[in-house]
């Protein structure tokens, strides 16, 4: 039973989740500000394309994509463990939560692969 609990929680602590969530939020905020500052002076396609295809911007976009995935995983994991419980749904609560978390994880991996292919033109 301890192995199953360890696998589902990935041996994280609440403090590390809190720090990762805040760090990912700050990264997304800085990225949003960067995009807004780049978008305000020029809105034509050539300038936008030149800005977004610079290596540092591709790297920053990749970092933001990873931040979004981490932020979403921690948030959805917390919601699932808070609201889909054995007490609420009986013996099926644990199974339902595991299936939903697996599907969310799979979807996040698909989004990451898709995002990498868009950013890096793979």
């Amino acid at each position: 039973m301890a192995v199953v609990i360890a696998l589902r929680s990935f041996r994280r602590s609440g403090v590390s989740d809190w720090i990762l969530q805040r760090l990912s939020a700050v990264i997304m905020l800085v990225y949003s500000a960067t995009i807004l500052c780049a978008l305000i002076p020029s809105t034509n396609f050539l300038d936008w394309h030149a800005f977004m295809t610079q290596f540092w911007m591709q790297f920053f976009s990749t970092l933001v994509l990873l931040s979004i995935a981490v932020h979403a995983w921690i948030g959805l994991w917390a919601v699932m463990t808070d609201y889909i419980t054995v007490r609420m749904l009986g013996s099926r609560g644990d199974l339902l939560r595991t299936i939903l978390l697996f599907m969310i994880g799979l979807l996040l991996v698909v989004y990451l692969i898709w995002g990498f292919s868009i950013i890096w033109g793979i």
Side-chain angles (χ1 to χ4, degrees):
M1 184 67 170
V3 173
V4 173
I5 293 170
L7 286 175
R8 281 197 311 206
S9 67
F10 299 117
R11 292 261 183 210
R12 295 185 326 253
S13 72
V15 174
S16 65
D17 284 352
W18 187 87
I19 290 170
L20 281 172
Q21 224 130 41
R22 291 340 176 247
L23 181 64
S24 64
V26 168
I27 291 169
M28 290 185 284
L29 177 68
V30 171
Y31 185 80
S32 298
T34 304
I35 294 295
L36 280 175
C37 290
L39 183 64
I40 290 170
S42 106
T43 56
N44 69 35
F45 175 76
L46 293 176
D47 290 342
W48 182 255
H49 184 266
F51 176 71
M52 292 303 288
T53 55
Q54 296 176 44
F55 177 76
W56 73 270
M57 195 59 197
Q58 288 178 312
F59 180 78
F60 195 18
S61 297
T62 302
L63 182 63
V64 169
L65 186 64
L66 290 170
S67 295
I68 291 169
V70 166
H71 197 89
W73 174 256
I74 293 170
L76 290 169
W77 179 85
V79 168
M80 293 293 167
T81 55
D82 285 348
Y83 293 107
I84 300 179
T85 62
V86 173
R87 192 176 331 143
M88 179 182 146
L89 298 172
S91 62
R92 294 191 181 125
D94 234 9
L95 178 63
L96 178 63
R97 182 175 59 228
T98 302
I99 290 170
L100 287 173
L101 286 172
F102 175 77
M103 289 171 46
I104 289 168
L106 187 63
L107 190 61
L108 287 174
V109 168
V110 168
Y111 285 156
L112 281 173
I113 293 169
W114 188 17
F116 291 150
S117 69
I118 290 169
I119 293 169
W120 296 101
I122 299 171

